[in-house]
């Protein structure tokens, strides 16, 4: 069934029109910054979502067009994680030179900026908004491909954990 879905010919007429309009709006916006990226390998989004389906997997699809998309919250989380890693690097450098006032000030400024831009998780949103990333219909002949995922979430499948976690043994 999965193979049939991945190989099903897509009618992208309406989606192409919507994608073109969305792209033009992003390019002409004075308040949005657009970025174009390319997935070099497979991308799994929504795999940890509770689906209730027999296959116990999910994929994040746009609810209007049924095509893959990357939620804005995912993009925001990635950007925030990169910013926090830079802060961690500054903090580690400060450990070797604790009296460096310039490094201390840089770390404080970056911490403030991260909070202002991204907000505090669960408390406020910050001043940046991340919109979903759309799939470029000219980038591939199909938006989905079949993939085999080896499950190794024993505690989840045994009902001991409500969700699969990254702490599970990689041995299925």
């Amino acid at each position: 069934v999965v193979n049939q879905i991945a190989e099903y010919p897509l009618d992208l007429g309406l989606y192409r029109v919507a994608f073109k309009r969305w792209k033009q709006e992003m390019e002409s916006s004075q308040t949005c910054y657009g970025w174009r990226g390319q997935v070099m390998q497979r991308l799994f989004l929504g795999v940890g979502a509770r689906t209730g389906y027999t296959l116990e997997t999910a994929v994040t699809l746009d609810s209007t067009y049924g095509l893959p998309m990357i939620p804005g919250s995912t993009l925001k989380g990635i950007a925030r994680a990169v910013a926090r890693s830079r802060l961690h690097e500054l903090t580690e450098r400060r450990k070797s030179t604790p009296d460096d006032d310039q490094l201390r000030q840089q770390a404080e400024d970056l911490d403030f900026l991260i909070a202002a831009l991204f907000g505090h998780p669960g408390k406020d949103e910050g001043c940046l908004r991340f919109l979903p990333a759309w799939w470029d219909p000219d980038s591939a002949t199909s938006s989905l491909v079949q993939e085999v995922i080896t499950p190794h979430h024993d505690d989840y499948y045994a009902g001991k954990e409500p969700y699969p976690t990254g702490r599970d043994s990689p041995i299925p």
Side-chain angles (χ1 to χ4, degrees):
V1 174
V2 176
N3 227 5
Q4 291 173 333
I5 292 170
E7 293 175 2
Y8 190 81
L10 297 173
D11 179 7
L12 297 174
L14 181 60
Y15 182 78
R16 283 186 192 281
V17 171
F19 178 78
K20 183 178 178 182
R21 191 181 93 208
W22 171 81
K23 189 175 172 183
Q24 288 171 342
E25 287 178 16
M26 291 300 105
E27 291 171 350
S28 65
S29 174
Q30 299 295 313
T31 59
C32 289
Y33 172 78
W35 177 82
R36 181 182 170 117
Q38 182 177 0
V39 176
M40 301 303 291
Q41 298 199 8
R42 305 278 169 91
L43 177 65
F44 294 99
L45 294 172
V47 176
R50 290 183 71 71
T51 63
Y53 300 132
T54 308
L55 297 176
E56 291 291 335
T57 60
V59 64
T60 303
L61 300 175
D62 177 84
S63 60
T64 303
Y65 304 104
L67 293 168
M69 52 85 78
I70 303 174
S73 58
T74 298
L75 299 170
K76 181 177 182 177
I78 292 168
R80 181 182 174 83
V82 169
R84 297 291 304 171
S85 73
R86 299 297 182 253
L87 179 59
H88 179 72
E89 289 170 10
L90 276 177
T91 304
E92 290 301 309
R93 281 190 10 217
R94 277 196 60 220
K95 288 180 181 177
S96 62
T97 56
D99 297 330
D100 189 333
D101 288 336
Q102 185 178 2
L103 272 180
R104 181 191 53 78
Q105 188 61 50
Q106 286 176 351
E108 288 176 7
D109 291 348
L110 183 56
D111 191 40
F112 174 79
L113 283 172
I114 291 169
L117 294 174
F118 299 102
H120 296 90
K123 294 181 183 176
D124 56 29
E125 293 186 17
C127 63
L128 291 180
R129 300 292 179 265
F130 287 76
L131 301 174
W134 287 44
W135 175 69
D136 184 343
D138 296 325
S139 66
T141 57
S142 176
S143 63
L144 298 173
V145 294
Q146 183 177 2
E147 182 63 85
V148 175
I149 303 172
T150 304
H152 58 271
H153 303 290
D154 294 339
D155 289 342
Y156 167 70
Y157 290 112
K160 296 176 187 174
E161 291 283 339
Y163 301 101
T165 68
R167 300 182 308 267
D168 298 330
S169 168
I171 301 169

